[in-house]
């Protein structure tokens, strides 16, 4: 759990309905960092729909459809018995996309962090220091996006 990220999200009231654009943009940013770990073409396509929605080139029905599709993909991911963690990284990256599309940005961030660390190897997830760089990036990215949204909205 990225406690600093949780504190920041609380501070900026990220759970409020008016912060949906921020939640979607931050979820997208986190999921994109693990896009290279996605194995399922449908997951990659759903991430592209989220990207299009955040950029303003896709509509809410497309977002809702992609959210439904990725939830099914994530919940049916085969996982892996391998000890290197690579398939676990793909599962976590897929769940990052699913949570990002559902507007659950902090959950997306958590899964993206696990995907990134699993990408190093399965052993890394037991080392809290393995998450430090990703957690720091997440806090900085959310701060940056929150400032941009505040400036853009005139606040």
């Amino acid at each position: 759990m990225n406690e600093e990220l949780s504190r920041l999200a609380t501070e900026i009231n990220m759970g409020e309905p008016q912060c949906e654009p921020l939640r979607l943009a931050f979820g997208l940013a986190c999921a994109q960092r693990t896009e290279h770990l996605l194995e399922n073409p449908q997951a990659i396509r759903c991430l592209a729909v989220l990207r299009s929605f955040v950029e303003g080139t896709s509509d809410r029905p497309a977002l809702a459809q992609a959210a439904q599709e990725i939830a099914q993909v994530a919940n049916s991911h085969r996982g892996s018995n391998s000890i290197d963690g690579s398939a676990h990284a793909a599962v976590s990256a897929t769940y990052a996309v699913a949570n990002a599309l559902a507007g659950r940005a902090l959950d997306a961030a958590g899964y993206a962090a696990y995907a990134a660390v699993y990408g190093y190897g399965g052993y890394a997830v037991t080392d809290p220091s393995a998450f430090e760089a990703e957690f720091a990036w997440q806090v900085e990215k959310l701060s940056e996006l929150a400032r941009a949204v505040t400036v853009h909205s005139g606040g």
Side-chain angles (χ1 to χ4, degrees), residues 14-17 19-28 31 43 46-47 49-51 53-54 60 62-72 74-75 93-109 111:
M14 198 162 126
E16 296 297 318
C19 287
E20 181 191 42
L22 175 60
R23 287 192 304 274
L24 292 172
F26 180 64
L28 172 64
C46 288
L47 182 58
V49 170
L50 176 57
R51 184 179 300 115
F53 185 83
V54 168
R60 187 155 302 271
L63 181 73
Q65 178 64 36
Q68 185 178 5
E69 288 176 23
I70 192 63
Q72 292 173 346
N75 288 327
T94 302
Y95 273 104
V97 174
N99 280 281
L101 272 156
R104 294 187 300 267
L106 294 182
D107 292 335
Y111 279 110

Side-chain angles (χ1 to χ4, degrees), residues 8 11-14 18-19 21-23 25 141-155:
L8 176 59
E11 179 183 309
I12 62 176
N13 298 313
M14 198 162 126
Q18 69 271 18
C19 287
L22 175 60
R23 287 192 304 274
K141 188 64 175 181
L142 180 55
S143 295
E144 171 191 318
L145 288 170
R147 285 189 304 271
V149 168
T150 300
V151 169
H152 180 59
S153 66

